[in-house]
PDB file of all heavy atoms in Angstrom:
ATOM      1  N   PRO B 244      65.578  26.578  63.494  1.00 86.00           N
ATOM      2  CA  PRO B 244      65.602  26.147  62.043  1.00 86.00           C
ATOM      3  C   PRO B 244      66.229  24.799  61.819  1.00 86.00           C
ATOM      4  O   PRO B 244      66.862  24.249  62.696  1.00 86.00           O
ATOM      5  CB  PRO B 244      66.525  27.249  61.471  1.00 86.00           C
ATOM      6  CG  PRO B 244      67.329  27.753  62.552  1.00 86.00           C
ATOM      7  CD  PRO B 244      66.573  27.582  63.797  1.00 86.00           C
ATOM      8  N   GLY B 245      65.959  24.258  60.645  1.00 88.00           N
ATOM      9  CA  GLY B 245      66.449  22.904  60.363  1.00 88.00           C
ATOM     10  C   GLY B 245      67.889  22.861  60.153  1.00 88.00           C
ATOM     11  O   GLY B 245      68.621  23.871  60.228  1.00 88.00           O
ATOM     12  N   MET B 246      68.359  21.623  59.952  1.00 90.00           N
ATOM     13  CA  MET B 246      69.817  21.378  59.729  1.00 90.00           C
ATOM     14  C   MET B 246      70.321  22.201  58.512  1.00 90.00           C
ATOM     15  O   MET B 246      69.609  22.373  57.533  1.00 90.00           O
ATOM     16  CB  MET B 246      70.022  19.927  59.535  1.00 90.00           C
ATOM     17  CG  MET B 246      71.322  19.372  59.967  1.00 90.00           C
ATOM     18  SD  MET B 246      71.225  17.580  59.893  1.00 90.00           S
ATOM     19  CE  MET B 246      72.623  17.145  60.919  1.00 90.00           C
ATOM     20  N   ASN B 247      71.595  22.626  58.566  1.00 90.00           N
ATOM     21  CA  ASN B 247      72.206  23.189  57.374  1.00 90.00           C
ATOM     22  C   ASN B 247      72.796  22.089  56.564  1.00 90.00           C
ATOM     23  O   ASN B 247      73.429  21.120  57.064  1.00 90.00           O
ATOM     24  CB  ASN B 247      73.413  24.089  57.809  1.00 90.00           C
ATOM     25  CG  ASN B 247      72.958  25.343  58.568  1.00 90.00           C
ATOM     26  OD1 ASN B 247      72.120  26.082  58.047  1.00 90.00           O
ATOM     27  ND2 ASN B 247      73.430  25.471  59.813  1.00 90.00           N
ATOM     28  N   PHE B 248      72.622  22.178  55.219  1.00 90.00           N
ATOM     29  CA  PHE B 248      73.195  21.191  54.324  1.00 90.00           C
ATOM     30  C   PHE B 248      74.050  21.925  53.307  1.00 90.00           C
ATOM     31  O   PHE B 248      73.607  22.869  52.692  1.00 90.00           O
ATOM     32  CB  PHE B 248      72.101  20.409  53.620  1.00 90.00           C
ATOM     33  CG  PHE B 248      71.443  19.469  54.555  1.00 90.00           C
ATOM     34  CD1 PHE B 248      70.138  19.761  54.973  1.00 90.00           C
ATOM     35  CD2 PHE B 248      72.006  18.332  55.064  1.00 90.00           C
ATOM     36  CE1 PHE B 248      69.440  18.957  55.882  1.00 90.00           C
ATOM     37  CE2 PHE B 248      71.383  17.484  55.914  1.00 90.00           C
ATOM     38  CZ  PHE B 248      70.046  17.799  56.359  1.00 90.00           C
ATOM     39  N   LEU B 249      75.322  21.544  53.165  1.00 88.00           N
ATOM     40  CA  LEU B 249      76.264  22.111  52.282  1.00 88.00           C
ATOM     41  C   LEU B 249      76.908  21.075  51.388  1.00 88.00           C
ATOM     42  O   LEU B 249      77.511  20.107  51.878  1.00 88.00           O
ATOM     43  CB  LEU B 249      77.370  22.815  53.106  1.00 88.00           C
ATOM     44  CG  LEU B 249      76.886  23.830  54.141  1.00 88.00           C
ATOM     45  CD1 LEU B 249      77.893  24.089  55.162  1.00 88.00           C
ATOM     46  CD2 LEU B 249      76.436  25.081  53.452  1.00 88.00           C
ATOM     47  N   PRO B 250      76.702  21.188  50.122  1.00 88.00           N
ATOM     48  CA  PRO B 250      77.350  20.253  49.156  1.00 88.00           C
ATOM     49  C   PRO B 250      78.837  20.323  49.323  1.00 88.00           C
ATOM     50  O   PRO B 250      79.379  21.460  49.409  1.00 88.00           O
ATOM     51  CB  PRO B 250      76.917  20.765  47.747  1.00 88.00           C
ATOM     52  CG  PRO B 250      75.788  21.728  47.992  1.00 88.00           C
ATOM     53  CD  PRO B 250      75.974  22.220  49.387  1.00 88.00           C
ATOM     54  N   CYS B 251      79.519  19.214  49.374  1.00 87.00           N
ATOM     55  CA  CYS B 251      80.993  19.323  49.644  1.00 87.00           C
ATOM     56  C   CYS B 251      81.783  18.204  48.889  1.00 87.00           C
ATOM     57  O   CYS B 251      81.123  17.268  48.354  1.00 87.00           O
ATOM     58  CB  CYS B 251      81.250  19.143  51.168  1.00 87.00           C
ATOM     59  SG  CYS B 251      80.766  17.554  51.788  1.00 87.00           S
ATOM     60  N   LYS B 252      83.047  18.386  48.827  1.00 85.00           N
ATOM     61  CA  LYS B 252      83.929  17.328  48.262  1.00 85.00           C
ATOM     62  C   LYS B 252      84.955  17.003  49.365  1.00 85.00           C
ATOM     63  O   LYS B 252      85.254  17.825  50.200  1.00 85.00           O
ATOM     64  CB  LYS B 252      84.615  17.879  47.062  1.00 85.00           C
ATOM     65  CG  LYS B 252      83.674  18.078  45.841  1.00 85.00           C
ATOM     66  CD  LYS B 252      84.374  17.878  44.563  1.00 85.00           C
ATOM     67  CE  LYS B 252      83.422  17.713  43.426  1.00 85.00           C
ATOM     68  NZ  LYS B 252      82.605  18.991  43.211  1.00 85.00           N
ATOM     69  N   ILE B 253      85.459  15.780  49.299  1.00 85.00           N
ATOM     70  CA  ILE B 253      86.493  15.354  50.306  1.00 85.00           C
ATOM     71  C   ILE B 253      87.834  15.571  49.786  1.00 85.00           C
ATOM     72  O   ILE B 253      88.141  15.145  48.672  1.00 85.00           O
ATOM     73  CB  ILE B 253      86.287  13.918  50.777  1.00 85.00           C
ATOM     74  CG1 ILE B 253      84.837  13.740  51.304  1.00 85.00           C
ATOM     75  CG2 ILE B 253      87.302  13.462  51.792  1.00 85.00           C
ATOM     76  CD1 ILE B 253      84.564  14.497  52.585  1.00 85.00           C
ATOM     77  N   ASP B 254      88.672  16.178  50.596  1.00 82.00           N
ATOM     78  CA  ASP B 254      90.055  16.423  50.235  1.00 82.00           C
ATOM     79  C   ASP B 254      90.952  16.116  51.403  1.00 82.00           C
ATOM     80  O   ASP B 254      91.034  16.898  52.320  1.00 82.00           O
ATOM     81  CB  ASP B 254      90.137  17.903  49.753  1.00 82.00           C
ATOM     82  CG  ASP B 254      91.503  18.244  49.210  1.00 82.00           C
ATOM     83  OD1 ASP B 254      92.344  17.340  49.167  1.00 82.00           O
ATOM     84  OD2 ASP B 254      91.718  19.375  48.786  1.00 82.00           O
ATOM     85  N   GLY B 255      91.413  14.886  51.443  1.00 80.00           N
ATOM     86  CA  GLY B 255      92.236  14.459  52.581  1.00 80.00           C
ATOM     87  C   GLY B 255      91.331  14.398  53.783  1.00 80.00           C
ATOM     88  O   GLY B 255      90.312  13.683  53.706  1.00 80.00           O
ATOM     89  N   ASN B 256      91.665  15.070  54.839  1.00 83.00           N
ATOM     90  CA  ASN B 256      90.802  15.070  56.007  1.00 83.00           C
ATOM     91  C   ASN B 256      89.908  16.326  56.085  1.00 83.00           C
ATOM     92  O   ASN B 256      89.415  16.658  57.170  1.00 83.00           O
ATOM     93  CB  ASN B 256      91.687  15.002  57.308  1.00 83.00           C
ATOM     94  CG  ASN B 256      91.980  13.611  57.584  1.00 83.00           C
ATOM     95  OD1 ASN B 256      91.541  12.686  56.947  1.00 83.00           O
ATOM     96  ND2 ASN B 256      92.825  13.421  58.609  1.00 83.00           N
ATOM     97  N   MET B 257      89.756  16.929  54.970  1.00 84.00           N
ATOM     98  CA  MET B 257      88.978  18.212  54.894  1.00 84.00           C
ATOM     99  C   MET B 257      87.771  17.945  54.041  1.00 84.00           C
ATOM    100  O   MET B 257      87.805  17.232  53.045  1.00 84.00           O
ATOM    101  CB  MET B 257      89.828  19.295  54.217  1.00 84.00           C
ATOM    102  CG  MET B 257      91.069  19.652  54.987  1.00 84.00           C
ATOM    103  SD  MET B 257      90.595  20.554  56.502  1.00 84.00           S
ATOM    104  CE  MET B 257      92.077  21.511  56.699  1.00 84.00           C
ATOM    105  N   ALA B 258      86.679  18.653  54.386  1.00 84.00           N
ATOM    106  CA  ALA B 258      85.561  18.747  53.446  1.00 84.00           C
ATOM    107  C   ALA B 258      85.646  20.116  52.799  1.00 84.00           C
ATOM    108  O   ALA B 258      85.777  21.138  53.495  1.00 84.00           O
ATOM    109  CB  ALA B 258      84.238  18.621  54.275  1.00 84.00           C
TER     110      ALA B 258
END
Side-chain angles (χ1 to χ4, degrees):
Chain B
M246 209 170 198
N247 293 303
F248 291 103
L249 304 161
C251 65
K252 291 212 166 64
I253 300 297
D254 187 357
N256 275 357
M257 297 287 208

